[in-house]
């Protein structure tokens, strides 16, 4: 499969000393990726993502103080999942993102590494609920993330109550990392 993701941060105005608009800056992040995944065995799945990442700032008008910039990189994401039956269906996984990527700036000839991230996680479907409520599932998920130079270590927990495979009541918690404090959420 191939994909194209564009994050358009929105237009930003460039003004002069009199606050008159003299230009428009257009910051965008673009990721073009090719993905391949396969079932290695009945329980083991693996996947590979090769991507080209581009951070760009285009401008129109007078933008000499900012100027157009383009930084690009290539990187690889790897992942694997293993599904086991140990009382309840348990799926565990590992993902390594942004392997080998360094952003290359054409303007400054500077190379900055992409933030490599390792994530270990598990999802468990709790079957005890089947005895009490029909057509309802309860899933628990947890993960540990290590982003090394970008955010550090963090833990995440979540619960998903699913009725007839269509209605979800979810709650989650994201532990503290270097970029932000802990947070929790509830959704329907």
């Amino acid at each position: 499969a191939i994909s194209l993701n564009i994050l358009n941060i929105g237009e930003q105005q460039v003004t002069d000393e009199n606050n008159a608009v003299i230009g428009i800056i257009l910051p965008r992040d673009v990721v073009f990726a090719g993905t391949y995944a396969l079932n290695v065995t009945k329980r083991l799945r693996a996947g590979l993502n090769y991507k080209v990442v581009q951070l760009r700032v285009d401008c129109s008008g007078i933008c000499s103080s900012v100027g157009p910039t383009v930084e690009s990189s290539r990187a690889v994401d790897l992942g694997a999942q293993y599904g086991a039956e140990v009382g309840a269906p348990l799926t565990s996984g590992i993902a390594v993102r942004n392997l080998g990527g360094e952003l290359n700036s054409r303007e400054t000839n500077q190379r900055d590494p992409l933030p490599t991230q390792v994530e270990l996680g598990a999802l468990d479907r709790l079957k005890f609920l089947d005895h009490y409520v029909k057509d309802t599932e309860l899933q628990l998920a947890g993960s540990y993330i290590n982003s090394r130079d970008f955010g550090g270590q963090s833990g995440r927990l979540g619960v998903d109550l699913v009725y007839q495979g269509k209605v979800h009541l979810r709650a989650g918690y994201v532990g503290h990392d270097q970029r932000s404090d802990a947070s929790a959420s509830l959704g329907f």
Side-chain angles (χ1 to χ4, degrees):
I2 60 171
S3 65
L4 176 66
N5 294 307
I6 301 172
L7 174 61
N8 185 350
I9 299 170
E11 294 182 357
Q12 298 175 13
Q13 296 179 340
V14 178
T15 57
D16 63 12
E17 61 276 352
N18 298 321
N19 243 5
V21 176
I22 58 172
I24 302 290
I25 299 171
L26 306 161
R28 289 176 291 211
D29 297 344
V30 180
V31 178
F32 179 71
T35 303
Y36 180 75
L38 69 130
N39 291 325
V40 178
T41 67
K42 183 179 175 187
R43 296 184 186 271
L44 180 64
R45 296 173 290 280
L48 165 76
N49 194 32
Y50 177 80
K51 59 189 174 184
V52 177
V53 178
Q54 191 177 75
L55 307 180
R56 57 183 308 126
V57 178
D58 296 313
C59 68
S60 65
I62 301 172
C63 303
S64 60
S65 62
V66 178
T69 60
V70 176
E71 296 181 6
S72 61
S73 178
R74 290 171 175 75
V76 174
D77 301 334
L78 302 172
Q81 280 186 340
Y82 183 78
E85 293 284 336
V86 285
L90 175 68
T91 303
S92 57
I94 183 170
V96 182
R97 296 181 186 94
N98 296 327
L99 279 172
E102 289 186 339
L103 287 172
N104 302 316
S105 173
R106 286 187 242 172
E107 290 77 24
T108 63
N109 205 21
Q110 183 176 336
R111 299 169 65 89
D112 296 315
L114 289 174
T116 301
Q117 184 181 68
V118 177
E119 183 170 1
L120 302 169
L123 172 72
D124 194 9
R125 180 178 175 270
L126 303 179
K127 287 187 166 185
F128 77 88
L129 199 60
D130 295 345
H131 300 293
Y132 305 105
V133 183
K134 187 178 178 179
D135 297 331
T136 304
E137 289 183 16
L138 181 62
Q139 299 176 349
L140 295 176
S143 67
Y144 163 78
I145 299 171
N146 187 342
S147 298
R148 296 191 309 191
D149 297 333
F150 185 73
Q153 301 173 12
S154 176
R156 298 178 183 190
L157 297 172
V159 62
D160 188 8
L161 183 63
V162 185
Y163 179 67
Q164 293 185 342
K166 296 178 182 172
V167 179
H168 295 257
L169 177 61
R170 295 180 172 157
Y173 172 79
V174 176
H176 174 80
D177 68 13
Q178 294 172 356
R179 293 177 295 156
S180 64
D181 290 331
S183 63
S185 65
L186 179 66
F188 178 74

